[in-house]
Amino acid sequence: MTVERKDKEVNAYSEISPRMREMAEKTRAADQVQSSLYSKYNVKRGLRDINGKGVLAGLTNVAEVRAKKIVDGEEVPDIGRLFYRGYEIHDLIDGYKAEDRFGFEEIAYLLLFGYLPDVNQLKEFSDKLIFYRSLPKNFVRDVIMKAPGEDMMNVLMRSVLTLSPYDDNANDVSLPNVLRQSMQLISLIPMISIYGYQAYRHYECGDSLVIHQPLENGSIAENILHLLRPDSTYSDIEAKALDTALVLHMDHGGGNNSAFTTHVVTSTLTDTYSAIAAALASLKGPRHGGANMKVVEMFDDLKRQVPNWEDEDAVAAYLEDLLHGKAFDNAGLIYGVGHAVYSKSDPRAEIFHSYVEKLAEFEGREEEYALYELVARLAPEIITKERKMYKGVCVNVDFYSGFAYHMLGLPRELYTPLFAMARIVGWSAHRMEELANNGKIIRPAYKSIAPENDYVPMKDRIK
């Protein structure tokens, strides 16, 4: 048996045989758990109750999501609110917008250190992030270029892990060292993602290879557009829209899957690169960071199936088909509508909505924007009518972000990595919070429902 496979053998190597499918069905049968048992043993499946409320598993100072209020002693749905370190997201964004500034660096400072910086503190922090816009010598050539791939999240995970050998203090989990590593990753993840995409387009798609040196000044958002676009040009409205998108995606409390993953993995005292790779793996899933891609693909299908975008009845019928598993991917979902926490409104979607409207006007895509608005109005009504809801339903930030990224000319392969470029700030804050509190290793319980069995000798087993 040879160690290396020839190209013609790759498909056969990856093929799923009928026997493999048969064995997988045996695994499915062995692993199946009756839904009634979750109620019987009072297990909060998915760490959420029947109303979607998360099980309280920790305390955090970093961020908070509010979607409930108390009325006559009872908890009822309320408009959604998001807080970073106690500051409401609307106030933070309105604050830097009023001064016509970029906000990513300022809000990153707030999440990492717990307070808003003054002018000098912000400049020192921003300058340090710019200083860290430098990958190890030959890293692009030896790591990114030599293993291009279509899946940018896997490229990103692999590259983050490969940074570890270049760090003389990779396993030091003291807060000063983790802060240094975190600030480096905040600067490097955008570069790795975009260089990975450029390598893929060149080696796999035959495009020209475009590798720009990072900006020596300017915001993270400006650097992203500079690195990505062949001519490095961008408008102020484009850079400001991307900047706010990054701010809105920075964190979402300790209970979201990737932040919780960061806490869980950090509690083992593993290194920063491993912890962030685990968070990236969590974010990659279509139920988490990959959702905006599903929204864009869903709208592509809608446009094909309903040529007249102003036909409200036809659009409504398509949405009903989605819920019945008769359209798009047959999953029975309207992507971008509904959220595990928010019921009446997602504040991130509300804020980003205004930027999407301006971008659509700037790009001359008002008709497409109107279609999004129509779906945003119809979908919650249709879902509520078709399904029993324990709470309200609203469009979430993923509903708009993919459309915005498309108008910005950002490739779909980078939609989820863009989420990571923002969420690395929140992950870093949660990692340091876990380390600062020196908590126990996180180890929840699972109840076994498997019956005890006696060992059966080989000769007596029934085939």
Side-chain angles (χ1 to χ4, degrees), residues 261-453:
T261 296
T262 304
H263 275 280
V264 171
V265 177
T266 297
S267 75
T268 70
L269 299 185
T270 193
D271 67 281
T272 296
Y273 303 101
S274 297
I276 298 306
L280 287 165
S282 163
L283 188 71
K284 178 187 173 182
R287 289 182 175 179
H288 193 2
N292 54 21
M293 177 74 80
K294 281 290 190 180
V295 174
V296 173
E297 293 172 350
M298 178 186 74
F299 268 90
D300 286 344
D301 188 65
L302 167 58
K303 293 169 194 173
R304 287 191 294 268
Q305 303 300 327
V306 184
N308 182 3
W309 299 351
E310 296 180 358
D311 188 338
E312 186 168 323
D313 291 338
V315 172
Y318 175 85
L319 296 176
E320 290 173 355
D321 284 345
L322 281 175
L323 281 185
H324 297 152
K326 297 179 181 179
F328 184 38
D329 60 359
N330 307 118
L333 298 171
I334 301 178
Y335 292 99
V337 184
H339 191 272
V341 179
Y342 299 121
S343 54
K344 287 193 171 184
S345 62
D346 179 342
R348 303 167 302 169
E350 289 181 335
I351 293 169
F352 206 35
H353 177 243
S354 64
Y355 283 91
V356 171
E357 184 176 16
K358 291 176 184 176
L359 278 173
E361 183 178 351
F362 181 77
E363 296 289 338
R365 296 173 67 172
E366 291 92 344
E367 290 184 7
E368 195 170 356
Y369 170 73
L371 177 62
Y372 271 78
E373 289 296 276
L374 178 58
V375 173
R377 176 169 62 83
L378 292 177
E381 298 174 0
I382 291 171
I383 292 173
T384 302
K385 181 180 69 175
E386 293 280 334
R387 294 182 177 174
K388 182 178 181 180
M389 300 299 298
Y390 293 99
K391 62 184 184 66
V393 63
C394 62
V395 297
N396 58 52
V397 70
D398 293 316
F399 184 82
Y400 290 112
S401 61
F403 180 38
Y405 294 160
H406 190 263
M407 288 191 288
L408 290 171
L410 303 173
R412 294 187 184 186
E413 292 88 347
L414 286 177
Y415 284 9
T416 309
L418 276 164
F419 200 154
M421 295 176 205
R423 192 54 64 89
I424 177 60
V425 178
W427 295 335
S428 297
H430 284 288
R431 174 166 169 76
M432 290 192 291
E433 184 177 61
E434 185 68 33
L435 292 170
N437 285 284
N438 195 27
K440 296 180 179 180
I441 185 172
I442 297 174
R443 188 183 182 280
Y446 266 65
K447 180 179 179 60
S448 174
I449 58 171
E452 291 190 18
N453 294 299

Side-chain angles (χ1 to χ4, degrees), residues 71-143:
V71 177
D72 297 328
E74 293 187 7
E75 196 175 61
V76 298
D78 194 13
I79 58 171
R81 302 172 71 189
L82 174 62
F83 295 82
Y84 289 168
R85 297 285 187 177
Y87 293 91
E88 190 157 11
I89 191 67
H90 283 279
D91 295 337
L92 292 172
I93 291 177
D94 288 345
Y96 67 73
K97 277 179 60 180
E99 298 179 7
D100 196 26
R101 294 185 287 105
F102 288 92
F104 180 91
E105 289 75 12
E106 178 183 0
I107 310 307
Y109 188 103
L110 170 65
L111 282 177
L112 292 176
F113 302 108
Y115 59 92
L116 290 167
D118 60 26
V119 172
N120 293 330
Q121 290 167 333
L122 180 57
K123 184 179 186 308
E124 178 186 26
F125 180 69
S126 299
D127 288 347
K128 198 66 174 177
L129 291 180
I130 292 171
F131 173 77
Y132 284 139
R133 289 178 189 171
S134 178
L135 286 161
K137 185 177 180 180
N138 299 328
F139 190 90
V140 175
R141 182 195 70 189
D142 295 342
V143 177

Side-chain angles (χ1 to χ4, degrees), residues 127-274:
D127 288 347
K128 198 66 174 177
L129 291 180
I130 292 171
F131 173 77
Y132 284 139
R133 289 178 189 171
S134 178
L135 286 161
K137 185 177 180 180
N138 299 328
F139 190 90
V140 175
R141 182 195 70 189
D142 295 342
V143 177
I144 297 176
M145 295 295 175
K146 288 190 176 179
E150 182 179 5
D151 193 321
M152 292 303 116
M153 288 299 286
N154 281 352
V155 170
L156 187 51
M157 280 183 268
R158 184 191 69 234
S159 298
V160 166
L161 286 172
T162 309
L163 285 171
S164 177
Y166 294 89
D167 187 342
D168 292 336
N169 298 301
N171 293 305
D172 178 0
V173 296
S174 66
L175 282 178
N177 190 60
V178 172
L179 175 60
R180 186 264 306 173
Q181 292 170 328
S182 298
M183 291 177 65
Q184 287 179 317
L185 287 173
I186 290 169
S187 292
L188 294 182
I189 280 181
M191 294 174 60
I192 292 170
S193 301
I194 294 169
Y195 289 158
Y197 172 73
Q198 303 290 23
Y200 159 70
R201 293 300 305 178
H202 175 63
Y203 290 107
E204 303 295 330
C205 304
D207 290 353
S208 296
L209 180 61
V210 179
I211 299 292
H212 294 310
Q213 292 293 336
L215 291 175
E216 295 183 358
N217 50 51
S219 68
I220 287 278
E222 291 173 301
N223 192 46
I224 290 170
L225 294 174
H226 155 74
L227 291 174
L228 182 61
R229 296 182 173 179
D231 61 2
S232 294
T233 61
Y234 50 86
S235 66
D236 185 66
I237 187 174
E238 290 176 315
K240 293 285 175 58
L242 179 57
D243 177 72
T244 293
L246 294 172
V247 170
L248 290 173
H249 285 88
M250 269 189 190
D251 198 53
H252 207 232
N256 71 82
N257 196 287
S258 57
F260 186 60
T261 296
T262 304
H263 275 280
V264 171
V265 177
T266 297
S267 75
T268 70
L269 299 185
T270 193
D271 67 281
T272 296
Y273 303 101
S274 297

